[in-house]
Amino acid sequence: MIRITVAMLKIIFIYGIISGAIVIGTMIFGLLSSGGQGFFASEYFGYLMMLVALSMIFVGIKRYRDLELGGVIKFLPALGLGLAIAAIAGLIYVCVWEIYLFSTDYVFIEEFTSGIIEAKKAEGLSGTALDKLVSEMEDMKANYAKPYIRLPMTFMEIFPVGLIISLVSAALLRNPKLLPATV
């Protein structure tokens, strides 16, 4: 059983908040500075920023291992700590994304689905295949308007990245010889 300490909670919140702030700050900057077009508004840039921001999971686990546990941590406590940091970052991501959507009158999904339809038209899609795509995009817009679908969907954009980083960090940092604590 993993015992949650005050020091662990402090690490979870500090590194979760830092991680969430980095990812949402850079993503909103990218969207606003590029007008929703180009690399800074792309999924690639978004996931790259998530990867960079969620590297705080590794830093948080290492800091906890070194300062609170004398340089040794087991896999499951490290994984739990990493997942908790990822969850805080994910909640921040969802909350700020909701604020962004509200402040832009929820125009994102309209622009997103229209962009997909226009790109497929430019590729030559027409007829029943185009009608099917338009219908799917209308369904997507209807579902995105429902908070009970949109909120978990937004959380699941970032959390799997945090899960992977947590697994890798826990596996690496359970070895006390990897980046040992310096006195």
Side-chain angles (χ1 to χ4, degrees):
M1 182 175 191
I2 299 172
R3 199 169 54 95
I4 298 175
T5 65
V6 172
M8 187 182 277
L9 286 174
K10 185 177 175 183
I11 294 287
I12 289 167
F13 282 104
I14 288 172
Y15 289 94
I17 290 168
I18 291 170
S19 209
I22 291 170
V23 74
I24 201 70
T26 55
M27 290 181 75
I28 288 178
F29 171 77
L31 283 170
L32 295 177
S33 67
S34 66
Q37 302 296 319
F39 178 71
F40 291 115
S42 70
E43 288 180 31
Y44 299 115
F45 178 73
Y47 281 105
L48 176 63
M49 287 301 97
M50 287 179 194
L51 190 61
V52 168
L54 290 169
S55 67
M56 290 292 111
I57 291 170
F58 183 89
V59 175
I61 294 170
K62 182 179 180 335
R63 184 163 176 85
Y64 183 72
R65 177 193 78 173
D66 294 348
L67 296 180
E68 301 298 324
L69 301 178
V72 178
I73 192 167
K74 292 183 179 180
F75 179 80
L76 285 179
L79 178 62
L81 183 61
L83 292 176
I85 292 170
I88 295 296
L91 291 173
I92 291 169
Y93 179 77
V94 169
C95 290
V96 176
W97 183 250
E98 284 298 306
I99 292 167
Y100 173 78
L101 288 176
F102 180 77
S103 69
T104 59
D105 201 28
Y106 295 90
V107 73
F108 166 79
I109 195 66
E110 183 64 43
E111 291 174 351
F112 179 76
T113 55
S114 296
I116 290 174
I117 292 168
E118 292 306 315
K120 291 297 183 179
K121 280 183 184 177
E123 292 175 6
L125 190 67
S126 62
T128 57
L130 179 61
D131 293 341
K132 182 181 178 202
L133 177 66
V134 169
S135 175
E136 289 170 358
M137 292 299 106
E138 289 301 318
D139 289 345
M140 179 185 276
K141 284 193 286 191
N143 284 331
Y144 201 77
K146 300 171 186 169
Y148 62 89
I149 293 176
R150 183 181 62 248
L151 295 173
M153 187 168 69
T154 304
F155 184 80
M156 289 308 294
E157 289 174 12
I158 190 170
F159 191 75
V161 178
L163 171 63
I164 292 167
I165 293 173
S166 296
L167 285 166
V168 170
S169 297
L172 292 173
L173 290 170
R174 68 191 174 113
N175 180 355
K177 294 178 183 173
L178 179 74
L179 300 170
T182 56
V183 183

